[in-house]
Amino acid sequence: MRWLEVHAIEVARFGGPDVLDLSELADPAPGPGQVVVAASACDVLFVDTMIRAGMGADYFPIRPPYVPGNGVGGTVVGLADEVDRRWLGRQVVAHTGGPGGTGGYAELAAVEVANCAAVPEGVELFDATAVLHDGTTALRILENTGVDPGERALVLGAAGGMGILLLQLLVKRGAQVVGAARGRAKLELVSEAGAHSAIDYAMPAWTDAALDATRGWRPTIVLDGVGGNLGGQAFGLIADGGRFSAHGTSSGSFAPINRDVARGRGVAVTTINDLQYGEGDRSRLLDAILGEVESGRVAPVVGQTFSLAEASKAHLGIEARETVAKTLLVTDR
């Protein structure tokens, strides 16, 4: 099948959201072991904004010109000769590119069939796309920290795309969860998602409010999706012998944690480096989170969508902290 026009977002240079340009590209041809997906939805992550701004050069090998994005949800419309033809016409979600993600903000994407997962019947395509990255990472975080029924947990950035999923997964596993976010709309979303308490960390004494919510019991699990000073303050709340996941940088940096202090208190600290996938992990976790959605144990929240041409607006909203839960780009395919 040939499309008359194939649109994608290209970044010709690092910079602000205005460098996200809608371009017309040639049809991608499937390479060995690949399929071509006509995207209905494109995953958008906070890390996309960092890479676009040139802040991820020390972590990711992505350099302009490039097409941003780490994944798509859509329909398989082409495949390499050796790929099972039963993939053709199937609704899938698929990871694109390598570390950091490239090739996802596009109407057509050539992806490794090994990086595709069929969308289960009864699961909406947008919901499946919403958990493509955030859901797999959330499960990976919980594999690292573990959680037992009755434990007290604190989630920072609880109204974000991954924060909402972490909150729901913790609640379903029997934890008592305090969700921390900023502003009334986000706090309402956190409460609706099942948090036992919702705390606004824009308040000067938010840590006191978090302890009040647990009647003075310190959380044994802290999942920090924000980093910076807020992450550091959250580390001060954790119980001795607890587990702290320092995976977030939406504040601009990871939480400043003194490793000697952590060791002295018996706190196990995991970082973004501990979330790397081994062979088969990504597919395993993607199948697992899609199963959670299919069963109803997890309900992804797509807070806002933008057209592909409005990618710059999506990035502006994310950087201004105006978005809630998951952001997707949508196409006409």
Side-chain angles (χ1 to χ4, degrees):
M1 178 182 293
R2 304 293 293 178
W3 302 97
L4 295 178
E5 294 179 337
V6 177
H7 291 106
I9 296 296
E10 285 193 297
V11 173
R13 69 184 191 283
F14 289 136
D18 59 299
V19 304
L20 297 167
D21 290 328
L22 185 67
S23 302
E24 186 176 331
L25 303 179
D27 285 16
Q34 289 188 328
V35 299
V36 175
V37 178
S40 297
C42 310
D43 193 10
V44 181
L45 299 170
F46 177 79
V47 72
D48 297 347
T49 70
M50 295 181 64
I51 293 171
R52 183 219 71 229
M55 297 169 59
D58 293 337
Y59 301 98
F60 304 111
I62 300 170
R63 301 291 184 273
Y66 72 98
V67 174
N70 87 317
V72 295
T75 304
V76 175
V77 295
L79 39 74
D81 291 339
E82 74 279 6
V83 174
D84 190 333
R85 295 196 64 80
R86 285 177 293 184
W87 282 101
L88 201 59
R90 185 177 292 182
Q91 275 200 338
V92 300
V93 288
H95 287 276
T96 61
T102 57
Y105 292 11
E107 292 178 323
L108 290 180
V111 300
E112 303 293 329
V113 71
N115 290 335
C116 293
V119 177
E121 287 189 26
V123 174
E124 295 291 337
L125 182 61
F126 280 20
D127 286 345
T129 310
V131 300
L132 174 61
H133 182 276
D134 288 337
T136 56
T137 306
L139 286 180
R140 187 66 163 168
I141 289 170
L142 293 185
E143 283 185 345
N144 286 339
T145 62
V147 56
D148 293 320
E151 282 198 276
R152 293 170 178 81
L154 171 65
V155 179
L156 268 68
M162 186 167 68
I164 286 290
L165 299 176
L166 283 169
L167 192 160
Q168 293 181 33
L169 289 166
L170 285 166
V171 169
K172 291 300 181 182
R173 284 157 173 74
Q176 299 201 12
V177 185
V178 174
R182 188 187 302 271
R184 179 179 298 177
K186 293 183 179 181
L187 294 177
E188 289 176 355
L189 183 62
V190 168
S191 294
E192 290 169 3
H196 296 83
S197 299
I199 303 298
D200 191 335
Y201 48 44
M203 299 188 305
W206 77 270
T207 53
D208 292 336
L211 286 177
D212 288 343
T214 58
R215 298 181 181 180
W217 289 94
R218 293 181 178 272
T220 52
I221 301 170
V222 175
L223 307 181
D224 174 24
V226 177
N229 289 332
L230 286 171
Q233 291 167 4
F235 179 75
L237 286 174
I238 197 167
D240 290 353
R243 290 96 74 200
F244 189 99
S245 177
H247 56 268
T249 60
S250 62
S251 65
S253 64
F254 291 106
I257 296 173
N258 186 308
R259 292 300 184 128
D260 291 334
V261 171
R263 280 191 292 270
R265 296 181 55 200
V267 176
V269 178
T270 55
T271 69
I272 195 75
N273 293 327
D274 298 298
L275 301 180
Q276 304 306 308
Y277 297 127
E279 184 176 356
D281 281 340
R282 175 175 281 169
S283 296
R284 172 180 62 83
L285 292 168
L286 181 53
D287 287 341
I289 194 64
L290 288 173
E292 297 274 3
V293 177
E294 184 179 22
S295 69
R297 290 189 295 271
V298 166
V301 179
V302 178
Q304 50 281 310
T305 62
F306 298 86
S307 71
L308 191 62
E310 295 175 317
S312 60
K313 291 183 179 180
H315 277 218
L316 279 168
I318 290 171
E319 291 178 327
R321 308 298 190 269
E322 295 172 349
T323 59
V324 296
K326 190 63 187 176
T327 300
L328 298 175
L329 301 180
V330 298
T331 77
D332 294 330
R333 298 301 181 192

